[in-house]
């Protein structure tokens, strides 16, 4: 029997590798998912820690409804849990992504050398959020391992992800793209909530 000190503010390496499990999210996870979103999605953005663009604390009812919609509709919405949920990932299929972002393919300034045949079938990782005091401990990578396994079985070979570099760069996200061996595919400008954002578009091949 493994005895774990649940009062610790950090998960040790053993717990990450042996005890955390990644599964599909369900509606009963909503409050915990919302709590994690609030921990990295607030009015204060920390570039080194990573952040979500929205201030989830500003309108709980609205954002819980939005997260619940994702839980109920997305094919690839995952949580990492042990005694509680420590992180989540929201991933859209091509059809789901273009339903919400119909002009995305033409809004992106694709690199001249980017092979656009990779746009025939893909997913977009929209949000990866790890509890604020537990970032950088491999939880995001564990969720990614599950995503890659599922995509292989489904015959999906391309992943895209966006990282904000302006008005405030998300350094933690940029580092994660490097760790996961993404390559830069393009960029786009996004007018969101009366702010202009610059997003780098990254691509990863599922092998």
């Amino acid at each position: 029997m493994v005895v774990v000190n649940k009062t610790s503010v950090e998960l040790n390496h053993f717990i990450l590798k042996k005890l955390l499990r990644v599964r599909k999210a369900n509606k009963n996870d909503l409050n915990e998912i919302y709590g994690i979103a609030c921990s990295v999605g607030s009015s204060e953005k920390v570039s080194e820690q990573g952040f979500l663009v929205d201030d989830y604390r500003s309108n709980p009812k609205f954002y819980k409804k939005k997260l619940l919609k994702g839980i109920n509709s997305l094919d690839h919405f995952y949580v990492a849990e042990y005694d509680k949920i420590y992180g989540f990932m929201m991933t859209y299929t091509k059809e789901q992504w273009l339903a919400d972002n119909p002009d995305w393919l033409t809004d992106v300034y694709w690199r001249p050398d980017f092979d656009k045949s990779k746009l025939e079938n893909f997913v977009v990782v929209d949000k990866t959020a790890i509890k604020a005091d537990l970032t950088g401990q491999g939880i995001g990578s564990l969720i990614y391992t599950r995503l890659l396994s599922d995509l292989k079985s489904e015959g999906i070979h391309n992943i895209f992800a966006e990282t904000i570099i302006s008005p405030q760069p998300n350094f933690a996200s940029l580092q994660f793209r490097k760790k996961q061996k993404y390559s830069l595919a393009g960029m786009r400008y996004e007018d969101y909530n009366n702010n202009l954002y610059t997003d780098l578009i990254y691509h990863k091949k599922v092998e």
Side-chain angles (χ1 to χ4, degrees):
M1 178 179 179
V2 178
V3 179
V4 179
N5 177 12
K6 295 182 181 179
T7 64
S8 173
V9 295
E10 294 187 352
L11 295 176
N12 63 37
H13 182 75
F14 177 79
I15 293 176
L16 281 175
K17 297 300 182 183
K18 301 295 183 181
L19 300 181
L20 270 181
R21 73 183 185 109
V22 178
R23 60 169 174 79
K24 296 285 184 73
N26 63 64
K27 63 182 181 180
N28 296 323
D29 301 324
L30 177 60
N31 287 332
E32 287 189 86
I33 289 172
Y34 174 71
I36 292 170
C38 287
S39 78
V40 290
S42 63
S43 58
E44 181 182 357
K45 310 299 182 186
V46 182
S47 294
E48 292 75 17
Q49 173 185 281
F51 57 84
L52 298 178
V53 172
D54 290 313
D55 180 0
Y56 282 78
R57 300 173 185 174
S58 65
N59 192 337
K61 184 176 180 180
F62 172 79
Y63 286 110
K64 283 187 178 182
K65 182 178 180 180
K66 194 171 183 179
L67 288 168
L68 183 60
K69 179 183 177 182
I71 291 170
N72 289 332
S73 63
L74 296 181
D75 296 343
H76 303 284
F77 194 138
Y78 302 98
V79 296
E81 71 168 0
Y82 170 53
D83 54 325
K84 59 185 177 181
I85 293 173
Y86 290 95
F88 70 87
M89 175 186 289
M90 297 176 64
T91 302
Y92 290 69
T93 64
K94 178 180 180 178
E95 293 74 18
Q96 291 166 339
W97 184 249
L98 295 181
D100 288 346
N101 306 272
D103 299 322
W104 187 77
L105 291 173
T106 54
D107 284 347
V108 175
Y109 294 88
W110 300 102
R111 284 181 49 155
D113 59 347
F114 178 70
D115 180 5
K116 291 188 177 180
S117 68
K118 296 172 181 176
L119 298 172
E120 293 177 4
N121 192 13
F122 61 83
V123 297
V124 176
V125 177
D126 182 40
K127 292 178 178 63
T128 303
I130 308 303
K131 193 173 182 297
D133 57 352
L134 294 172
T135 57
Q137 296 195 48
I139 298 175
S141 295
L142 284 176
I143 302 175
Y144 242 90
T145 298
R146 169 63 188 272
L147 172 66
L148 291 174
S149 176
D150 286 354
L151 294 180
K152 285 180 183 179
S153 67
E154 295 168 17
I156 299 175
H157 301 294
N158 297 287
I159 304 175
F160 290 94
E162 299 186 328
T163 295
I164 291 173
I165 58 170
S166 176
Q168 181 174 353
N170 191 333
F171 293 137
S173 179
L174 288 168
Q175 184 62 32
F176 190 71
R177 304 291 171 234
K178 181 179 179 181
K179 180 180 180 181
Q180 293 295 327
K181 298 182 179 180
Y182 277 82
S183 59
L184 184 63
M187 65 173 290
R188 74 169 179 135
Y189 298 104
E190 180 181 11
D191 187 357
Y192 182 68
N193 287 344
N194 298 316
N195 289 305
L196 183 62
Y197 294 90
T198 304
D199 301 328
L200 296 183
I201 313 300
Y202 285 94
H203 169 264
K204 177 182 175 68
K205 185 176 180 180
V206 180
E207 298 178 322

